[in-house]
């Protein structure tokens, strides 16, 4: 699988303090970030499944977990931290978006070190373990959490609210105690409703929103058998999305994909078959390539590094997300960017260094190359949250089907 590389992750998060808040899925997000900061490998199934262990990949258990009582109740605590010479990553296990425990975490931010990046999600426990009619309570807690977070964190901090990923029809997990098993069949629909409320409120409070439900709607084969959790491939994709999001917010252009992650546990013969199949698929794409794409083939040096371009196609032709700069927020009128030749020329003129290109964002502070050789830190511009939006092909009429 092609993804953001270890080298890119260490450069982008150089001297950054990252905080991850959430339940078991967010714990796996934390673990994958810690893994990527050390080497290009996936998490193992055992690492994904384990909780509350004393140490994971040179991190340490600060509070809770096996230091206390291991249980599946709403009062379960687990605080983990990974620290290296230039990186600090911390994880808090939370079961409710706003509670006394969350207030204590926010007080740590108020009186202590301010995080540069906060990645947070809280949904499934909120809507299943506290009240049968959860909507009013969940909305109120979201208001209080977003308001407190905006008050405590400096403007330069990047806060990313991630929407909950798709649940299966038949689910089982630690949060699904016998008392609420009757909610299992309805919970996947409640998550969609809760995502709408939380995403809309996060956007209104000035937070960035990453819609993982939308991103993984067609990747259900990577969901585990319990219908809740996801495998290592999905979590590396989540990490790549988060890092690309942060790079865009900080005005850094990462040329992705850059490296192939090691396939742990996959036989060598099967890897060769996958590589051969991928090569044949690329040849078929080459034969079917539209004429207008050939107008801006990338330079050989970019293609050889596996850069932004993929077989002649730009990122917007191989992604479910909106095209790069689809919305121009510098102008009052929001208009799509349609000049692909001009966009490619801009990319080809960017300065490249160690696989990461740097540009001056329209809100960025001056970049002093003598002081910062590997990283650029600037005030981020927030991405507006528009759930489930994409450019509708012009060749289909209003009632046409194109899915």
């Amino acid at each position: 699988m092609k993804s953001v590389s270890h080298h890119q992750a260490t450069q982008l998060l150089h001297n950054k303090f990252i905080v991850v808040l959430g339940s078991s899925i967010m714990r796996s997000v934390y673990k994958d970030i810690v893994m990527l900061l050390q080497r290009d490998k996936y998490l193992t199934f055992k690492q994904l499944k384990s909780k509350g262990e004393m140490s994971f990949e040179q991190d340490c258990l600060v509070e809770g977990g096996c230091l206390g009582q291991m249980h599946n109740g709403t009062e379960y605590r687990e605080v983990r931290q990974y620290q290296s010479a230039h990186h600090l990553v911390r994880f808090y296990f939370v079961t409710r978006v706003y509670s006394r425990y969350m207030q204590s975490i926010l007080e740590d931010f108020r009186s202590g070190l301010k995080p540069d990046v906060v990645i947070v999600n809280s949904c499934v426990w909120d809507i299943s373990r506290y009240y049968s009619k959860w909507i009013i309570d969940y909305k109120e807690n979201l208001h209080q959490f977003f308001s407190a977070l905006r008050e405590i964190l400096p403007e330069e901090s990047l806060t990313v609210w991630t929407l909950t990923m798709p649940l299966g029809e038949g689910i089982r997990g630690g949060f699904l105690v016998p008392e609420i098993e009757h909610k299992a069949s309805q919970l996947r629909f409640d998550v969609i409703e809760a995502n709408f409320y939380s995403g809309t409120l996060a956007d209104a409070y000035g937070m960035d929103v990453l819609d993982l439900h939308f991103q993984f709607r067609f990747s259900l084969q990577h969901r585990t058998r319990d219908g809740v959790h996801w495998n290592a491939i999905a979590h590396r994709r989540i990490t790549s999305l988060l890092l690309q999001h942060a790079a865009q917010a900080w005005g850094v252009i990462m040329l992705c994909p850059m490296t192939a992650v090691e396939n742990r546990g996959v036989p060598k013969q099967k890897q060769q078959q996958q590589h051969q199949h991928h090569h044949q698929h690329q040849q078929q794409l080459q034969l079917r390539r539209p004429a207008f794409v050939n107008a801006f083939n990338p330079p050989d040096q970019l293609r050889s590094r596996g850069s932004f371009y993929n077989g002649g196609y730009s990122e917007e032709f191989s992604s479910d997300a909106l095209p790069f700069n689809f919305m121009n927020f510098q102008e009052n009128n929001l208009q799509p960017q349609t000049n692909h030749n001009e966009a490619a020329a801009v990319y080809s003129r960017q300065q490249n260094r160690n696989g990461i290109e740097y540009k001056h964002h329209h809100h960025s502070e001056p970049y002093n190359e003598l002081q910062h050789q590997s990283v650029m830190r600037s005030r981020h511009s927030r991405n507006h949250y528009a759930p489930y939006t994409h450019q509708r092909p012009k060749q289909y009429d209003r009632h046409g089907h194109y899915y």
Side-chain angles (χ1 to χ4, degrees):
M1 177 185 174
K2 299 286 187 177
S3 68
V4 174
S5 69
H6 156 70
H7 181 73
Q8 287 179 312
T10 56
Q11 293 290 308
L12 181 68
L13 301 180
H14 185 82
N15 287 345
K16 296 293 192 296
F17 174 29
I18 302 98
V19 172
V20 181
L21 300 169
S23 55
S24 56
I25 291 182
M26 299 307 291
R27 175 172 53 216
S28 298
V29 170
Y30 157 83
K31 287 184 174 182
D32 194 72
I33 294 174
V34 171
M35 175 69 80
L36 188 59
L37 287 176
Q38 298 180 66
R39 56 186 178 274
D40 283 310
K41 286 187 179 180
Y42 288 132
L43 296 170
T44 64
F45 177 75
K46 181 179 180 180
Q47 289 172 333
L48 285 169
K49 191 175 181 179
S50 298
K51 74 171 186 178
E53 65 270 39
M54 284 298 299
S55 180
F56 159 79
E57 293 294 334
Q58 302 184 48
D59 84 336
C60 63
L61 179 64
V62 178
E63 178 186 339
C66 65
L67 295 175
Q69 183 180 0
M70 302 286 289
H71 58 85
N72 291 325
T74 56
E75 299 301 319
Y76 175 74
R77 301 288 180 259
E78 183 178 344
V79 181
R80 314 194 65 87
Q81 180 169 291
Y82 167 77
Q83 185 174 1
S84 67
H86 297 285
H87 303 98
L88 178 61
V89 189
R90 189 179 297 166
F91 167 72
Y92 295 89
F93 187 95
V94 296
T95 62
R96 205 173 190 182
V97 69
Y98 196 75
S99 60
R100 289 184 178 179
Y101 181 60
M102 181 62 78
Q103 292 177 23
S104 68
I105 297 173
L106 296 176
E107 284 301 318
D108 290 343
F109 296 161
R110 186 191 301 273
S111 58
L113 184 64
K114 302 294 189 297
D116 300 291
V117 183
V118 177
I119 304 169
V120 57
N121 169 267
S122 185
C123 175
V124 177
W125 287 70
D126 294 75
I127 66 178
S128 62
R129 291 295 297 269
Y130 293 96
Y131 297 101
S132 57
K133 297 181 179 180
W134 52 267
I135 297 179
I136 296 178
D137 178 73
Y138 187 51
K139 283 183 178 180
E140 179 61 28
N141 286 338
L142 286 170
H143 276 293
Q144 295 185 48
F145 173 71
F146 291 142
S147 177
L149 201 63
R150 187 172 62 176
E151 175 190 352
I152 294 172
L153 295 183
E155 187 177 357
E156 290 77 13
S157 294
L158 174 63
T159 304
V160 182
W161 175 265
T162 64
L163 300 192
T164 304
M165 302 170 74
L167 296 183
E169 183 176 358
I171 62 174
R172 57 185 185 274
F175 73 94
L176 201 65
V177 294
E179 292 79 6
I180 61 170
E181 285 183 349
H182 63 281
K183 297 182 178 181
S185 59
Q186 178 65 26
L187 200 55
R188 58 191 177 120
F189 303 110
D190 291 340
V191 161
I192 296 176
E193 187 175 4
N195 279 343
F196 172 76
Y197 293 135
S198 65
T200 304
L201 284 175
D203 181 67
Y205 275 93
M207 313 295 174
D208 284 26
V209 180
L210 180 58
D211 195 340
L212 295 180
H213 193 286
F214 177 80
Q215 292 288 342
F216 286 87
R217 70 200 187 283
F218 296 141
S219 302
L220 304 183
Q221 71 275 15
H222 296 301
R223 191 169 56 197
T224 58
R225 293 182 180 180
D226 65 3
V228 179
H229 299 93
W230 296 73
N231 64 17
I233 297 176
H235 277 286
R236 183 50 51 87
R237 172 63 177 161
I238 295 172
T239 302
S240 298
L241 289 170
L242 288 168
L243 294 184
Q244 291 171 22
H245 190 99
Q248 184 180 7
W250 292 333
V252 177
I253 298 177
M254 291 197 306
L255 300 179
C256 297
M258 285 293 294
T259 188
V261 179
E262 179 181 327
N263 290 313
R264 303 184 66 174
V266 180
K268 185 175 182 180
Q269 183 179 1
K270 187 174 181 181
Q271 294 183 31
Q272 293 175 350
Q273 292 175 356
Q274 293 174 349
H275 177 75
Q276 183 179 5
H277 175 74
H278 175 74
H279 180 69
Q280 292 174 355
H281 179 66
Q282 291 297 325
Q283 288 181 336
Q284 294 175 359
L285 289 178
Q286 185 77 12
L287 294 175
R288 297 198 302 266
R289 181 184 301 176
F292 69 87
V293 177
N294 292 324
F296 57 96
N297 280 332
D300 292 337
Q301 61 269 27
L302 289 182
R303 189 186 296 108
S304 63
R305 289 195 297 267
S307 61
F308 171 82
Y309 299 95
N310 181 12
Y313 290 93
S314 64
E315 186 179 36
E316 59 192 281
F317 290 100
S318 58
S319 172
D320 290 327
L322 286 171
F324 183 79
N325 277 348
F326 175 76
M327 294 297 185
N328 183 1
F329 292 97
Q330 296 181 5
E331 304 294 338
N332 293 328
N333 298 324
L334 303 182
Q335 297 179 353
Q337 175 179 320
T338 57
N339 191 341
H340 303 293
N341 292 331
E342 180 180 352
V346 171
Y347 273 98
S348 65
R349 290 195 299 266
Q350 300 293 339
Q351 178 185 2
N352 179 275
R353 183 171 66 254
N354 296 330
I356 300 181
E357 292 189 352
Y358 297 85
K359 68 175 184 177
H360 287 293
H361 200 275
H362 62 276
H363 286 303
S364 65
E365 299 170 357
Y367 173 65
N368 189 337
E369 187 173 3
L370 296 178
Q371 295 181 2
H372 307 280
Q373 295 294 329
S374 303
V375 67
M376 174 179 176
R377 178 65 194 275
S378 62
R379 180 175 300 176
H380 73 279
S381 63
R382 187 174 61 85
N383 296 318
H384 178 69
Y385 173 61
Y388 291 84
T389 59
H390 54 85
Q391 188 176 10
R392 190 182 185 91
K394 296 181 180 179
Q395 61 266 34
Y396 296 95
D397 56 21
R398 181 177 180 180
H399 302 286
H401 300 281
Y402 55 96
Y403 290 104

